Amino acid sequence: MAEQSSAQEKSPQREWKLSTAVGPAYPEGKAGEAWARLISERSGARFAVKHFPGATLAQRDPAREFAGLRDGAIDLAVGSAVNWASQVKELNLFALPWLFADHAALERALAGEIGARLSKALEDAGVVSIASTPGAFQQLATRRPVHAPADLAGLRLRAPVSRLYIETLLALGAVPAGMSASDARGALSRGGLDGEVLGVAAFGAARLYANGVSHLLVWDGFADALFFAVNRELWLTLSAADRELVRQAANDAALARLAREGTGVTRLTRAGKQPFRERTRAVYERWSAVVGEDLVRAAEETVR
């Protein structure tokens, strides 16, 4: 009987499905891959975790990922704030244009009251957030150099499917198109786009410079954050020790970095960012009301 009990303790439970919107070539996908591996290793294979990159558990639509996690089709996920913001409005905080100056400001926000309030918002929406980390700032890759808002006039730019991104780019005079990264690759190769809003690692992984998109403006226009989250029903079945194991594995899941090459890079100074910030101020204020004025003002105080 004792041997049977021991065998049951060592045998894995059902396989957990872990989702990320992108693959391991990107920081988000790399973090998901690492989290799955660490849980499996540290549990002695009691918990078998399979990583599903590319939003394959959500019909390849990152915007559907949060609903899958909430409803149980997905057990764990490393999700980007921009992809989950349509389900949890408070996460639009990170896309408020030029709110966060750098990763240090993001880290302060996530480590303090702001992070706690966002975790509560996620839990209220149906999932348990157990760790978070700054994501990639969204930069601007274009076929021609951009130095000032006037340079964006008429540029056809792909952006994540986000009303806040779209309104910000419209305010700058661009012609934005909300579409998936995979759809954008085809549009860029056909000449249907002049550029894209994306992270530096994504720029390198997609090799946009091969399609003539060879100018990168490091404007830090939109921030992002990654949330390590668990389906609430699954979380409730775990013992305190297993919750700590999963949480610590999330905290240890790595940051990933990718090199970039063949690109002319322009990095805006604080003064250089100011004209972009002023041009998009009305969008910022309008979306502050959506996110929650008190949350935005608390974030402004934190980064200040």
Side-chain angles (χ1 to χ4, degrees), residues 163-182:
R163 285 175 52 203
L164 179 46
Y165 275 59
I166 298 299
E167 288 186 22
T168 301
L169 293 173
L170 284 170
L172 290 169
V175 182
M179 64 175 71
S180 69
S182 58

Side-chain angles (χ1 to χ4, degrees), residues 66-137:
F66 184 86
L69 180 63
R70 180 195 61 212
D71 298 339
I74 297 169
D75 298 302
L76 307 96
V78 182
S80 162
V82 66
N83 289 334
W84 290 3
S86 61
Q87 305 280 335
V88 184
K89 62 179 174 52
E90 290 86 351
L91 296 183
N92 284 292
L93 177 75
F94 297 100
L96 287 174
W98 289 278
L99 169 58
F100 295 95
D102 50 33
H103 275 87
L106 272 174
E107 288 172 355
R108 287 197 303 276
L110 289 170
E113 176 197 354
I114 304 304
R117 291 175 64 172
L118 293 172
S119 292
K120 176 65 164 53
L122 285 163
E123 187 166 355
D124 289 345
V127 309
V128 178
S129 174
I130 60 174
S132 60
T133 186
F137 275 84

Side-chain angles (χ1 to χ4, degrees), residues 142-144 207-215:
T142 51
R143 297 187 187 277
R144 67 176 190 237
R207 302 180 74 249
L208 294 190
Y209 42 83
N211 282 324
V213 183
S214 57
H215 296 277

